[in-house]
Amino acid sequence: MVAGNNLFYPIVGFASCVAFLYMSFGDLWADFGDHSEQIGSFVERNGTHFMVDGRVFYVNGWNSYWLMDDSVNEYSKYRVKAMLQAGAKMGLTVCRTWAFNDGDYNALQISPGQFDEKVFRALDHVIAEAKQQGVRLLLALVNNLQAYGGKTQYVKWAWEEGLGLTSSNDSFFYDPSIRRYFKHYLKTILTRKNSLTGIEYRDDPTIFGWELINEPRCVTDASGNTLQDWIQEMSTFLKAIDRKHLLTVGLEGFYGPKSPKRLTENPEWWASDLGTDFIRNSMLPTIDFASVHIYPDHWTHVQDLEYKLKFVSTWMQSHIEDGDKELMKPIMFTEFGLSSENKGFDPAQRDRFYKIVFDIIYKSAKEKGSGAGSFAWQFFVGGMEDHNDEFGIVPWQRPSTYKLITEQSCRLARIQGVIPLQTQYLKQLCSH
Ligand SMILES: *[C@@H]1O[C@H](CO)[C@@H](O)[C@H](O)[C@H]1NC(C)=O
Ligand SMILES: *[C@@H]1O[C@H](CO)[C@@H](O)[C@H](O)[C@H]1NC(C)=O
């Protein structure tokens, strides 16, 4: 037996497990019938929980960053529906994806304030398709990294227009001209009227929530004040336009100098010098839930898998405790991945990693804790290997992985009840 595997997961005979699922779902389905419905309500928050239609909502989610990009061209557009439908069939309820592409190939924002209508229609399509499939979207609004433009592109634009203060990438956070660019971008996205549904993005409950920036770091100000100020300004601005949607920062989850007692939870010493601070940043009243990533391979030099898996467990528990005791907000693990480039990598290791993440979320949910959901990085459909990195999978290509994911959908549904949109798929998945 694998050490740690049975920490949170009582071993139950398979047959009795199936019987239990069948019984509990049997009752629930009687309430809802079979008809499929479209997403009609916003996800809200009550303390450490997400709520939909007055019921607690835990997320089994995933990342497919490429939906808008692949929606632009006819030859790849089918992948959007294929992925969202496959996710829905796995009982997944939220997909995290990019709602930005700044100056890169197929750019949404071509230059500051200039948008490509063709690409906006591609994003309209992603949202309309998600609505069709009953999957909500967590939409990220800019990248700290260079992929799809990111803060580097904004700094370059300001420089080219003769407005930029410096060429430092971190001037994205403090240069007044760049802040204006980004606010203009926010306003344009939030008030975009979907060409297919006629609904403005800010009024569309298909959107689970917004993420300000993917994995922000501001290493030129390790005190954290610069990033904190930016988060405060942008979140306030966003909330003034859109009060209906939930908002998160997009943090990796590192603790900074304002959280001295937590510094030992960081993977290594450098993590406290990145200008980010999980507790301080997530504490702002304009931030509705906290985001955390989990990359044991990239964050530690220790090669030992058992060491990494132990880190995953303490990292998650530490943040859930922050949610329960300090932040009083839901905690979402919005990216987790195990690298296939590790020496001696075997997909069974990824299964173990996924299982630890799922078990901790399930345990927190069962205890009504703040651990509100997890999003694997990252899923594809077949034939798009060019989009992959060392973390991606086509989830149905490995039955054991597929089973882990779908079982998480089933057991979360057992706690929260089956949301009507899921009825059809969960019936197939969970009662065999
Ligand atoms: C919100 O949470 C509180 C405390 O857990 C609970 O008493 C209250 O009923 C909840 N409100 C709603 C609308 O569910
Ligand atoms: C900004 O970031 C890009 C991409 O990481 C890098 O190539 C460039 O050198 C950086 N610019 C400065 C001034 O540090």
Side-chain angles (χ1 to χ4, degrees):
M1 275 299 292
V2 170
N5 241 8
N6 49 9
L7 275 179
F8 307 115
Y9 197 69
I11 295 168
V12 182
F14 183 64
S16 63
C17 199
V18 169
F20 175 61
L21 282 175
Y22 181 76
M23 278 165 48
S24 46
F25 283 123
D27 296 343
L28 288 165
W29 284 322
D31 297 341
F32 294 118
D34 242 355
H35 53 286
S36 59
E37 297 174 38
Q38 284 203 340
I39 293 172
S41 328
F42 287 87
V43 179
E44 298 169 315
R45 174 173 81 90
N46 179 19
T48 58
H49 297 139
F50 294 123
M51 311 283 294
V52 180
D53 295 328
R55 288 147 48 122
V56 182
F57 182 60
Y58 299 103
V59 178
N60 193 19
W62 86 99
N63 283 276
S64 287
Y65 72 85
W66 44 269
L67 296 178
M68 178 179 79
D69 195 21
D70 276 41
S71 187
V72 175
N73 296 318
E74 280 308 318
Y75 76 91
S76 53
K77 197 171 177 179
Y78 75 93
R79 292 171 183 161
V80 174
K81 183 188 182 117
M83 186 70 247
L84 290 166
Q85 192 167 54
K89 281 187 179 164
M90 287 187 276
L92 305 177
T93 49
V94 185
C95 175
R96 178 171 173 268
T97 193
W98 294 169
F100 63 84
N101 182 344
D102 300 298
D104 212 331
Y105 177 68
N106 276 346
L108 174 60
Q109 190 171 209
I110 305 160
S111 60
Q114 296 296 313
F115 292 81
D116 186 336
E117 177 60 22
K118 178 182 72 197
V119 182
F120 240 140
R121 281 170 189 262
L123 185 55
D124 293 343
H125 171 73
V126 171
I127 295 170
E129 192 60 53
K131 187 189 284 293
Q132 278 294 316
Q133 301 301 332
V135 171
R136 287 184 169 83
L137 299 171
L138 174 55
L139 296 176
L141 296 164
V142 69
N143 206 349
N144 189 78
L145 312 169
Q146 217 181 346
Y148 295 95
K151 65 182 186 181
T152 304
Q153 180 63 69
Y154 276 88
V155 173
K156 216 171 126 202
W157 280 333
W159 197 248
E160 283 164 5
E161 296 197 357
L163 297 169
L165 291 175
T166 115
S167 64
S168 163
N169 286 315
D170 286 349
S171 68
F172 175 80
F173 297 117
Y174 59 79
D175 187 320
S177 307
I178 300 177
R179 283 185 171 204
R180 264 199 309 278
Y181 290 165
F182 188 60
K183 282 183 178 171
H184 184 84
Y185 173 74
L186 290 178
K187 186 160 185 213
T188 307
I189 282 273
L190 297 168
T191 57
R192 164 76 179 180
K193 189 168 174 183
N194 191 310
S195 59
L196 297 164
T197 63
I199 305 170
E200 282 192 16
Y201 287 7
R202 62 176 162 181
D203 294 325
D204 193 339
T206 309
I207 297 168
F208 173 91
W210 303 105
E211 179 178 301
L212 279 179
I213 176 168
N214 176 48
E215 300 192 339
R217 294 182 178 187
C218 184
V219 292
T220 53
D221 181 8
S223 79
N225 293 337
T226 301
L227 183 62
Q228 181 75 357
D229 189 61
W230 182 86
I231 295 169
Q232 186 153 20
E233 180 168 331
M234 295 310 157
S235 58
T236 305
F237 182 81
L238 187 148
K239 286 282 177 179
I241 300 172
D242 178 355
R243 252 180 309 248
K244 293 179 182 157
H245 286 109
L246 300 168
L247 177 62
T248 192
V249 179
L251 296 168
E252 292 160 284
F254 302 124
Y255 296 101
K258 289 280 199 300
S259 313
K261 279 186 296 199
R262 278 302 198 200
L263 292 181
T264 54
E265 304 291 342
N266 277 337
E268 287 182 353
W269 62 270
W270 48 261
S272 60
D273 288 336
L274 302 173
T276 75
D277 191 322
F278 173 73
I279 293 180
R280 184 187 185 202
N281 300 154
S282 308
M283 190 74 88
L284 287 165
T286 42
I287 299 302
D288 300 295
F289 67 97
S291 40
V292 186
H293 293 182
I294 315 174
Y295 286 108
D297 306 304
H298 284 188
W299 291 352
T300 168
H301 292 89
V302 180
Q303 287 300 311
D304 178 48
L305 180 71
E306 302 309 320
Y307 175 90
K308 289 180 190 170
L309 294 181
K310 192 155 178 297
F311 165 77
V312 170
S313 177
T314 55
W315 181 247
M316 289 184 74
Q317 274 153 353
S318 158
H319 287 84
I320 290 173
E321 196 179 292
D322 297 336
D324 288 333
K325 297 190 178 149
E326 294 251 359
L327 297 169
M328 312 305 288
K329 295 177 185 179
I331 308 295
M332 291 263 267
F333 297 88
T334 45
E335 286 188 24
F336 62 94
L338 195 72
S339 173
S340 59
E341 286 172 4
N342 288 328
K343 221 165 82 211
F345 175 78
D346 179 322
Q349 297 170 348
R350 193 191 291 113
D351 285 353
R352 282 187 62 199
F353 173 56
Y354 276 30
K355 179 159 165 50
I356 289 170
V357 174
F358 291 155
D359 283 352
I360 292 176
I361 294 297
Y362 176 61
K363 176 172 184 276
S364 175
K366 234 176 22 180
E367 295 168 353
K368 303 194 184 329
S370 65
S374 62
F375 295 67
W377 181 274
Q378 55 174 325
F379 291 172
F380 299 106
V381 296
M384 35 186 320
E385 285 68 22
D386 57 322
H387 290 51
N388 204 352
D389 54 16
E390 66 210 85
F391 302 104
I393 59 170
V394 177
W396 44 93
Q397 282 179 349
R398 187 178 156 84
S400 58
T401 310
Y402 193 79
K403 185 153 175 275
L404 275 174
I405 298 167
T406 53
E407 277 179 357
Q408 178 76 344
S409 300
C410 292
R411 58 184 183 165
L412 290 182
R414 214 160 69 214
I415 296 176
Q416 69 195 0
V418 180
I419 60 174
L421 292 161
Q422 287 186 293
T423 309
Q424 213 187 346
Y425 292 134
L426 287 190
K427 210 169 186 172
Q428 286 166 18
L429 273 182
C430 308
S431 55
H432 307 278

